[in-house]
mmCIF file of all heavy atoms in Angstrom:
data_model
loop_
_atom_site.group_PDB
_atom_site.id
_atom_site.type_symbol
_atom_site.label_atom_id
_atom_site.label_comp_id
_atom_site.label_asym_id
_atom_site.label_seq_id
_atom_site.Cartn_x
_atom_site.Cartn_y
_atom_site.Cartn_z
ATOM 1 N N ARG A 219 9.838 16.291 -3.341
ATOM 2 C CA ARG A 219 9.729 17.068 -4.693
ATOM 3 C C ARG A 219 9.631 15.984 -5.872
ATOM 4 O O ARG A 219 10.420 16.038 -6.722
ATOM 5 C CB ARG A 219 10.805 18.007 -4.953
ATOM 6 C CG ARG A 219 10.827 19.156 -3.916
ATOM 7 C CD ARG A 219 11.859 19.987 -4.137
ATOM 8 N NE ARG A 219 11.989 21.153 -3.144
ATOM 9 C CZ ARG A 219 11.445 22.314 -3.245
ATOM 10 N NH1 ARG A 219 10.877 22.731 -4.379
ATOM 11 N NH2 ARG A 219 11.525 23.237 -2.290
ATOM 12 N N ARG A 220 8.624 15.105 -5.711
ATOM 13 C CA ARG A 220 8.345 14.126 -6.767
ATOM 14 C C ARG A 220 6.815 13.784 -6.847
ATOM 15 O O ARG A 220 6.225 13.819 -5.757
ATOM 16 C CB ARG A 220 9.196 12.819 -6.548
ATOM 17 C CG ARG A 220 8.811 12.098 -5.295
ATOM 18 C CD ARG A 220 9.603 10.933 -5.096
ATOM 19 N NE ARG A 220 9.496 10.256 -3.692
ATOM 20 C CZ ARG A 220 10.156 9.438 -3.303
ATOM 21 N NH1 ARG A 220 11.148 8.846 -3.878
ATOM 22 N NH2 ARG A 220 9.827 8.809 -1.996
ATOM 23 N N PRO A 221 6.399 13.303 -7.966
ATOM 24 C CA PRO A 221 5.013 12.928 -8.113
ATOM 25 C C PRO A 221 4.954 11.549 -7.410
ATOM 26 O O PRO A 221 5.737 10.709 -7.452
ATOM 27 C CB PRO A 221 4.831 12.794 -9.596
ATOM 28 C CG PRO A 221 6.168 12.600 -10.135
ATOM 29 C CD PRO A 221 7.052 13.268 -9.284
ATOM 30 N N VAL A 222 3.685 11.221 -6.784
ATOM 31 C CA VAL A 222 3.470 10.097 -6.155
ATOM 32 C C VAL A 222 2.046 9.600 -6.469
ATOM 33 O O VAL A 222 1.194 10.432 -6.890
ATOM 34 C CB VAL A 222 3.667 10.109 -4.588
ATOM 35 C CG1 VAL A 222 5.163 10.345 -4.258
ATOM 36 C CG2 VAL A 222 2.803 11.127 -3.967
ATOM 37 N N ALA A 223 1.721 8.453 -6.279
ATOM 38 C CA ALA A 223 0.234 7.901 -6.301
ATOM 39 C C ALA A 223 -0.096 7.633 -4.823
ATOM 40 O O ALA A 223 0.689 7.083 -3.997
ATOM 41 C CB ALA A 223 0.176 6.636 -7.119
ATOM 42 N N ILE A 224 -1.294 7.941 -4.429
ATOM 43 C CA ILE A 224 -1.776 7.726 -3.134
ATOM 44 C C ILE A 224 -3.081 6.904 -3.253
ATOM 45 O O ILE A 224 -3.995 7.249 -3.849
ATOM 46 C CB ILE A 224 -2.039 9.017 -2.322
ATOM 47 C CG1 ILE A 224 -0.898 9.929 -2.291
ATOM 48 C CG2 ILE A 224 -2.685 8.729 -0.991
ATOM 49 C CD1 ILE A 224 -0.998 11.173 -1.533
ATOM 50 N N LYS A 225 -3.073 5.767 -2.623
ATOM 51 C CA LYS A 225 -4.152 4.894 -2.713
ATOM 52 C C LYS A 225 -4.909 5.040 -1.358
ATOM 53 O O LYS A 225 -4.290 4.704 -0.225
ATOM 54 C CB LYS A 225 -3.638 3.449 -2.801
ATOM 55 C CG LYS A 225 -4.711 2.411 -2.883
ATOM 56 C CD LYS A 225 -4.029 0.975 -3.171
ATOM 57 C CE LYS A 225 -4.984 -0.069 -3.591
ATOM 58 N NZ LYS A 225 -4.195 -1.301 -3.818
ATOM 59 N N GLN A 226 -6.075 5.432 -1.318
ATOM 60 C CA GLN A 226 -6.974 5.656 -0.106
ATOM 61 C C GLN A 226 -7.891 4.569 -0.034
ATOM 62 O O GLN A 226 -8.626 4.175 -0.988
ATOM 63 C CB GLN A 226 -7.703 6.884 -0.146
ATOM 64 C CG GLN A 226 -8.589 7.184 0.924
ATOM 65 C CD GLN A 226 -9.492 8.358 0.786
ATOM 66 O OE1 GLN A 226 -9.708 8.770 -0.303
ATOM 67 N NE2 GLN A 226 -10.080 8.784 1.882
ATOM 68 N N VAL A 227 -8.113 3.891 1.146
ATOM 69 C CA VAL A 227 -9.024 2.888 1.515
ATOM 70 C C VAL A 227 -10.054 3.565 2.463
ATOM 71 O O VAL A 227 -9.593 4.171 3.355
ATOM 72 C CB VAL A 227 -8.390 1.664 2.064
ATOM 73 C CG1 VAL A 227 -9.412 0.630 2.446
ATOM 74 C CG2 VAL A 227 -7.279 1.070 1.082
ATOM 75 N N ARG A 228 -11.232 3.458 2.045
ATOM 76 C CA ARG A 228 -12.271 4.111 2.948
ATOM 77 C C ARG A 228 -12.272 3.635 4.364
ATOM 78 O O ARG A 228 -11.894 2.579 4.747
ATOM 79 C CB ARG A 228 -13.656 3.712 2.363
ATOM 80 C CG ARG A 228 -13.899 4.371 0.872
ATOM 81 C CD ARG A 228 -15.354 3.940 0.404
ATOM 82 N NE ARG A 228 -15.242 2.458 0.231
ATOM 83 C CZ ARG A 228 -14.800 1.793 -0.949
ATOM 84 N NH1 ARG A 228 -14.304 2.488 -1.829
ATOM 85 N NH2 ARG A 228 -15.077 0.537 -0.965
ATOM 86 N N ALA A 229 -12.521 4.597 5.249
ATOM 87 C CA ALA A 229 -12.507 4.414 6.709
ATOM 88 C C ALA A 229 -13.366 3.289 7.159
ATOM 89 O O ALA A 229 -13.092 2.436 8.130
ATOM 90 C CB ALA A 229 -12.939 5.663 7.466
ATOM 91 N N GLU A 230 -14.565 3.002 6.482
ATOM 92 C CA GLU A 230 -15.497 1.937 6.849
ATOM 93 C C GLU A 230 -14.827 0.503 6.679
ATOM 94 O O GLU A 230 -15.301 -0.521 7.124
ATOM 95 C CB GLU A 230 -16.723 2.004 6.134
ATOM 96 C CG GLU A 230 -16.724 1.856 4.596
ATOM 97 C CD GLU A 230 -16.704 3.195 4.010
ATOM 98 O OE1 GLU A 230 -16.358 4.243 4.561
ATOM 99 O OE2 GLU A 230 -16.809 3.298 2.743
ATOM 100 N N SER A 231 -13.794 0.416 5.825
ATOM 101 C CA SER A 231 -13.110 -0.815 5.597
ATOM 102 C C SER A 231 -12.153 -1.178 6.742
ATOM 103 O O SER A 231 -11.633 -2.309 6.719
ATOM 104 C CB SER A 231 -12.464 -0.858 4.169
ATOM 105 O OG SER A 231 -11.282 0.176 4.256
ATOM 106 N N ARG A 232 -11.917 -0.251 7.563
ATOM 107 C CA ARG A 232 -10.907 -0.519 8.645
ATOM 108 C C ARG A 232 -11.219 -1.742 9.502
ATOM 109 O O ARG A 232 -10.396 -2.363 10.028
ATOM 110 C CB ARG A 232 -10.786 0.717 9.530
ATOM 111 C CG ARG A 232 -9.958 1.740 8.944
ATOM 112 C CD ARG A 232 -9.678 2.763 10.069
ATOM 113 N NE ARG A 232 -8.445 3.364 9.726
ATOM 114 C CZ ARG A 232 -8.003 4.560 10.171
ATOM 115 N NH1 ARG A 232 -8.794 5.218 11.166
ATOM 116 N NH2 ARG A 232 -6.866 5.087 9.863
ATOM 117 N N SER A 233 -12.461 -1.970 9.756
ATOM 118 C CA SER A 233 -12.962 -3.050 10.613
ATOM 119 C C SER A 233 -12.953 -4.461 9.905
ATOM 120 O O SER A 233 -13.233 -5.412 10.583
ATOM 121 C CB SER A 233 -14.266 -2.695 11.228
ATOM 122 O OG SER A 233 -15.224 -2.622 10.241
ATOM 123 N N SER A 234 -12.770 -4.451 8.605
ATOM 124 C CA SER A 234 -12.841 -5.550 7.815
ATOM 125 C C SER A 234 -11.498 -6.247 7.553
ATOM 126 O O SER A 234 -10.371 -5.552 7.932
ATOM 127 C CB SER A 234 -13.598 -5.264 6.534
ATOM 128 O OG SER A 234 -12.698 -4.615 5.684
ATOM 129 N N LYS A 235 -11.453 -7.251 6.888
ATOM 130 C CA LYS A 235 -10.191 -7.954 6.474
ATOM 131 C C LYS A 235 -9.529 -7.140 5.430
ATOM 132 O O LYS A 235 -8.308 -7.361 5.226
ATOM 133 C CB LYS A 235 -10.522 -9.376 5.933
ATOM 134 C CG LYS A 235 -10.862 -10.315 6.965
ATOM 135 C CD LYS A 235 -11.262 -11.661 6.414
ATOM 136 C CE LYS A 235 -11.802 -12.553 7.618
ATOM 137 N NZ LYS A 235 -11.994 -13.898 7.260
ATOM 138 N N LEU A 236 -10.244 -6.171 4.770
ATOM 139 C CA LEU A 236 -9.741 -5.361 3.756
ATOM 140 C C LEU A 236 -8.466 -4.603 4.266
ATOM 141 O O LEU A 236 -7.495 -4.347 3.738
ATOM 142 C CB LEU A 236 -10.723 -4.487 3.183
ATOM 143 C CG LEU A 236 -10.304 -3.798 1.824
ATOM 144 C CD1 LEU A 236 -10.180 -4.758 0.658
ATOM 145 C CD2 LEU A 236 -11.665 -2.899 1.445
ATOM 146 N N HIS A 237 -8.631 -4.035 5.500
ATOM 147 C CA HIS A 237 -7.589 -3.293 6.174
ATOM 148 C C HIS A 237 -6.401 -4.141 6.306
ATOM 149 O O HIS A 237 -5.286 -3.639 5.973
ATOM 150 C CB HIS A 237 -8.184 -2.715 7.540
ATOM 151 C CG HIS A 237 -7.134 -2.178 8.467
ATOM 152 N ND1 HIS A 237 -6.719 -0.786 8.205
ATOM 153 C CD2 HIS A 237 -6.481 -2.662 9.446
ATOM 154 C CE1 HIS A 237 -5.776 -0.614 9.115
ATOM 155 N NE2 HIS A 237 -5.547 -1.655 9.913
ATOM 156 N N GLU A 238 -6.442 -5.275 6.849
ATOM 157 C CA GLU A 238 -5.319 -6.161 7.126
ATOM 158 C C GLU A 238 -4.640 -6.461 5.811
ATOM 159 O O GLU A 238 -3.495 -6.498 5.648
ATOM 160 C CB GLU A 238 -5.693 -7.375 7.829
ATOM 161 C CG GLU A 238 -6.152 -7.135 9.212
ATOM 162 C CD GLU A 238 -6.802 -8.375 9.924
ATOM 163 O OE1 GLU A 238 -6.521 -9.530 9.446
ATOM 164 O OE2 GLU A 238 -7.563 -8.308 10.914
ATOM 165 N N ARG A 239 -5.431 -6.757 4.745
ATOM 166 C CA ARG A 239 -4.946 -7.116 3.489
ATOM 167 C C ARG A 239 -4.117 -5.924 2.884
ATOM 168 O O ARG A 239 -2.993 -6.288 2.174
ATOM 169 C CB ARG A 239 -6.172 -7.578 2.568
ATOM 170 C CG ARG A 239 -5.553 -8.149 1.210
ATOM 171 C CD ARG A 239 -6.744 -8.621 0.403
ATOM 172 N NE ARG A 239 -6.730 -7.792 -0.791
ATOM 173 C CZ ARG A 239 -7.813 -7.518 -1.577
ATOM 174 N NH1 ARG A 239 -8.960 -8.130 -1.292
ATOM 175 N NH2 ARG A 239 -7.677 -6.878 -2.597
ATOM 176 N N LEU A 240 -4.710 -4.801 2.948
ATOM 177 C CA LEU A 240 -4.025 -3.590 2.460
ATOM 178 C C LEU A 240 -2.700 -3.494 2.992
ATOM 179 O O LEU A 240 -1.604 -3.229 2.464
ATOM 180 C CB LEU A 240 -4.880 -2.366 2.663
ATOM 181 C CG LEU A 240 -4.094 -1.016 2.252
ATOM 182 C CD1 LEU A 240 -4.335 -0.840 0.805
ATOM 183 C CD2 LEU A 240 -4.726 0.118 3.119
ATOM 184 N N TRP A 241 -2.677 -3.522 4.344
ATOM 185 C CA TRP A 241 -1.310 -3.416 5.187
ATOM 186 C C TRP A 241 -0.298 -4.528 4.672
ATOM 187 O O TRP A 241 0.851 -4.279 4.515
ATOM 188 C CB TRP A 241 -1.596 -3.327 6.629
ATOM 189 C CG TRP A 241 -1.946 -1.982 6.913
ATOM 190 C CD1 TRP A 241 -3.284 -1.452 6.780
ATOM 191 C CD2 TRP A 241 -1.277 -0.777 7.308
ATOM 192 N NE1 TRP A 241 -3.405 -0.185 7.132
ATOM 193 C CE2 TRP A 241 -2.179 0.326 7.481
ATOM 194 C CE3 TRP A 241 0.061 -0.620 7.710
ATOM 195 C CZ2 TRP A 241 -1.760 1.635 7.859
ATOM 196 C CZ3 TRP A 241 0.534 0.600 8.146
ATOM 197 C CH2 TRP A 241 -0.409 1.720 8.213
ATOM 198 N N ARG A 242 -0.739 -5.759 4.656
ATOM 199 C CA ARG A 242 0.129 -6.834 4.147
ATOM 200 C C ARG A 242 0.613 -6.631 2.795
ATOM 201 O O ARG A 242 1.845 -6.901 2.476
ATOM 202 C CB ARG A 242 -0.593 -8.239 4.330
ATOM 203 C CG ARG A 242 -0.727 -8.831 5.674
ATOM 204 C CD ARG A 242 -1.074 -10.291 5.686
ATOM 205 N NE ARG A 242 -2.252 -10.570 4.833
ATOM 206 C CZ ARG A 242 -3.424 -10.602 5.164
ATOM 207 N NH1 ARG A 242 -3.688 -10.226 6.417
ATOM 208 N NH2 ARG A 242 -4.442 -10.764 4.434
ATOM 209 N N GLU A 243 -0.211 -6.151 2.017
ATOM 210 C CA GLU A 243 0.071 -5.906 0.491
ATOM 211 C C GLU A 243 1.179 -4.907 0.557
ATOM 212 O O GLU A 243 2.213 -4.927 -0.183
ATOM 213 C CB GLU A 243 -1.134 -5.388 -0.238
ATOM 214 C CG GLU A 243 -0.774 -5.029 -1.650
ATOM 215 C CD GLU A 243 -1.971 -4.214 -2.299
ATOM 216 O OE1 GLU A 243 -3.213 -4.640 -2.035
ATOM 217 O OE2 GLU A 243 -1.803 -3.316 -3.041
ATOM 218 N N ALA A 244 0.972 -3.797 1.260
ATOM 219 C CA ALA A 244 1.999 -2.719 1.253
ATOM 220 C C ALA A 244 3.332 -3.045 1.831
ATOM 221 O O ALA A 244 4.419 -2.780 1.359
ATOM 222 C CB ALA A 244 1.438 -1.433 2.009
ATOM 223 N N GLN A 245 3.283 -3.937 3.004
ATOM 224 C CA GLN A 245 4.455 -4.370 3.547
ATOM 225 C C GLN A 245 5.240 -5.261 2.673
ATOM 226 O O GLN A 245 6.493 -5.274 2.602
ATOM 227 C CB GLN A 245 4.227 -4.853 4.922
ATOM 228 C CG GLN A 245 3.699 -3.959 5.938
ATOM 229 C CD GLN A 245 3.140 -4.607 7.255
ATOM 230 O OE1 GLN A 245 2.724 -5.713 7.152
ATOM 231 N NE2 GLN A 245 2.998 -3.791 8.289
ATOM 232 N N ALA A 246 4.556 -6.154 1.960
ATOM 233 C CA ALA A 246 5.204 -7.167 1.125
ATOM 234 C C ALA A 246 5.848 -6.278 -0.046
ATOM 235 O O ALA A 246 7.003 -6.725 -0.453
ATOM 236 C CB ALA A 246 4.190 -8.181 0.605
ATOM 237 N N ALA A 247 5.071 -5.494 -0.587
ATOM 238 C CA ALA A 247 5.671 -4.738 -1.751
ATOM 239 C C ALA A 247 6.843 -3.871 -1.441
ATOM 240 O O ALA A 247 7.736 -3.689 -2.242
ATOM 241 C CB ALA A 247 4.478 -3.731 -2.286
ATOM 242 N N ALA A 248 6.844 -3.403 -0.180
ATOM 243 C CA ALA A 248 8.035 -2.554 0.263
ATOM 244 C C ALA A 248 9.297 -3.290 0.386
ATOM 245 O O ALA A 248 10.329 -2.748 0.307
ATOM 246 C CB ALA A 248 7.643 -1.896 1.636
ATOM 247 N N LEU A 249 9.083 -4.604 0.521
ATOM 248 C CA LEU A 249 10.351 -5.520 0.624
ATOM 249 C C LEU A 249 10.897 -5.918 -0.600
ATOM 250 O O LEU A 249 12.049 -6.397 -0.698
ATOM 251 C CB LEU A 249 10.013 -6.805 1.507
ATOM 252 C CG LEU A 249 9.586 -6.635 2.859
ATOM 253 C CD1 LEU A 249 9.129 -7.876 3.515
ATOM 254 C CD2 LEU A 249 10.823 -6.055 3.702
ATOM 255 N N LEU A 250 10.240 -5.615 -1.720
ATOM 256 C CA LEU A 250 10.630 -6.134 -3.027
ATOM 257 C C LEU A 250 11.311 -4.937 -3.845
ATOM 258 O O LEU A 250 10.917 -3.804 -3.632
ATOM 259 C CB LEU A 250 9.474 -6.673 -3.833
ATOM 260 C CG LEU A 250 8.759 -7.783 -3.252
ATOM 261 C CD1 LEU A 250 7.514 -8.118 -4.005
ATOM 262 C CD2 LEU A 250 9.575 -8.967 -3.128
ATOM 263 N N ASP A 251 12.224 -5.304 -4.637
ATOM 264 C CA ASP A 251 12.882 -4.246 -5.481
ATOM 265 C C ASP A 251 13.006 -4.801 -6.829
ATOM 266 O O ASP A 251 13.945 -5.801 -7.034
ATOM 267 C CB ASP A 251 14.239 -3.767 -4.932
ATOM 268 C CG ASP A 251 14.886 -2.718 -5.664
ATOM 269 O OD1 ASP A 251 14.151 -2.067 -6.372
ATOM 270 O OD2 ASP A 251 16.037 -2.467 -5.486
ATOM 271 N N HIS A 252 12.167 -4.438 -7.795
ATOM 272 C CA HIS A 252 12.193 -4.907 -9.147
ATOM 273 C C HIS A 252 11.495 -3.877 -10.111
ATOM 274 O O HIS A 252 10.644 -3.021 -9.576
ATOM 275 C CB HIS A 252 11.342 -6.310 -9.356
ATOM 276 C CG HIS A 252 11.544 -6.898 -10.569
ATOM 277 N ND1 HIS A 252 10.707 -6.487 -11.689
ATOM 278 C CD2 HIS A 252 12.230 -7.835 -10.890
ATOM 279 C CE1 HIS A 252 11.062 -7.309 -12.651
ATOM 280 N NE2 HIS A 252 11.997 -8.107 -12.234
ATOM 281 N N PRO A 253 12.041 -3.658 -11.266
ATOM 282 C CA PRO A 253 11.590 -2.633 -12.074
ATOM 283 C C PRO A 253 10.078 -2.803 -12.463
ATOM 284 O O PRO A 253 9.359 -1.775 -12.744
ATOM 285 C CB PRO A 253 12.379 -2.853 -13.488
ATOM 286 C CG PRO A 253 13.520 -3.590 -13.068
ATOM 287 C CD PRO A 253 13.197 -4.355 -11.872
ATOM 288 N N ASN A 254 9.581 -3.927 -12.438
ATOM 289 C CA ASN A 254 8.045 -4.108 -12.540
ATOM 290 C C ASN A 254 7.156 -4.169 -11.408
ATOM 291 O O ASN A 254 6.012 -4.418 -11.572
ATOM 292 C CB ASN A 254 7.869 -5.416 -13.370
ATOM 293 C CG ASN A 254 8.550 -5.482 -14.744
ATOM 294 O OD1 ASN A 254 8.819 -4.368 -15.312
ATOM 295 N ND2 ASN A 254 8.915 -6.515 -15.233
ATOM 296 N N ILE A 255 7.746 -3.788 -10.281
ATOM 297 C CA ILE A 255 6.897 -3.574 -9.014
ATOM 298 C C ILE A 255 7.019 -2.210 -8.551
ATOM 299 O O ILE A 255 8.021 -1.634 -8.360
ATOM 300 C CB ILE A 255 7.401 -4.537 -7.874
ATOM 301 C CG1 ILE A 255 7.377 -6.059 -8.459
ATOM 302 C CG2 ILE A 255 6.640 -4.401 -6.642
ATOM 303 C CD1 ILE A 255 7.949 -6.987 -7.513
ATOM 304 N N VAL A 256 5.825 -1.609 -8.322
ATOM 305 C CA VAL A 256 5.716 -0.278 -7.755
ATOM 306 C C VAL A 256 6.386 -0.225 -6.362
ATOM 307 O O VAL A 256 6.160 -0.998 -5.479
ATOM 308 C CB VAL A 256 4.185 0.169 -7.706
ATOM 309 C CG1 VAL A 256 4.029 1.501 -7.066
ATOM 310 C CG2 VAL A 256 3.633 0.162 -9.081
ATOM 311 N N HIS A 257 7.185 0.960 -6.191
ATOM 312 C CA HIS A 257 7.781 1.049 -4.843
ATOM 313 C C HIS A 257 6.759 1.794 -3.836
ATOM 314 O O HIS A 257 6.075 2.590 -4.329
ATOM 315 C CB HIS A 257 8.987 2.061 -4.949
ATOM 316 C CG HIS A 257 10.173 1.394 -5.844
ATOM 317 N ND1 HIS A 257 10.401 1.732 -7.065
ATOM 318 C CD2 HIS A 257 11.062 0.451 -5.379
ATOM 319 C CE1 HIS A 257 11.377 0.927 -7.387
ATOM 320 N NE2 HIS A 257 11.924 0.179 -6.511
ATOM 321 N N VAL A 258 6.748 1.219 -2.590
ATOM 322 C CA VAL A 258 5.903 1.778 -1.710
ATOM 323 C C VAL A 258 6.760 2.709 -0.799
ATOM 324 O O VAL A 258 7.750 2.323 -0.288
ATOM 325 C CB VAL A 258 5.328 0.679 -0.772
ATOM 326 C CG1 VAL A 258 4.578 1.224 0.455
ATOM 327 C CG2 VAL A 258 4.322 -0.245 -1.662
ATOM 328 N N TYR A 259 6.341 3.934 -0.602
ATOM 329 C CA TYR A 259 6.999 4.946 0.076
ATOM 330 C C TYR A 259 6.600 5.070 1.517
ATOM 331 O O TYR A 259 7.321 5.365 2.466
ATOM 332 C CB TYR A 259 7.074 6.363 -0.630
ATOM 333 C CG TYR A 259 7.591 6.266 -2.009
ATOM 334 C CD1 TYR A 259 6.986 7.005 -3.021
ATOM 335 C CD2 TYR A 259 8.762 5.644 -2.335
ATOM 336 C CE1 TYR A 259 7.478 7.082 -4.279
ATOM 337 C CE2 TYR A 259 9.243 5.655 -3.600
ATOM 338 C CZ TYR A 259 8.612 6.465 -4.596
ATOM 339 O OH TYR A 259 9.046 6.444 -5.793
ATOM 340 N N ASP A 260 5.285 4.926 1.884
ATOM 341 C CA ASP A 260 4.802 5.135 3.171
ATOM 342 C C ASP A 260 3.392 4.628 3.320
ATOM 343 O O ASP A 260 2.563 4.313 2.299
ATOM 344 C CB ASP A 260 4.631 6.713 3.400
ATOM 345 C CG ASP A 260 4.579 7.068 4.871
ATOM 346 O OD1 ASP A 260 4.681 6.244 5.724
ATOM 347 O OD2 ASP A 260 4.422 8.307 5.049
#
């Protein structure tokens, strides 16, 4: 019961380095806790 932002990456990017970069970005952000960094939920 809260508002969220959902970032969608197109399916055609899955086979590219973009897919890997997205997952690394999300995993790195999920490890950080700072008021100026967006929290990753899923």
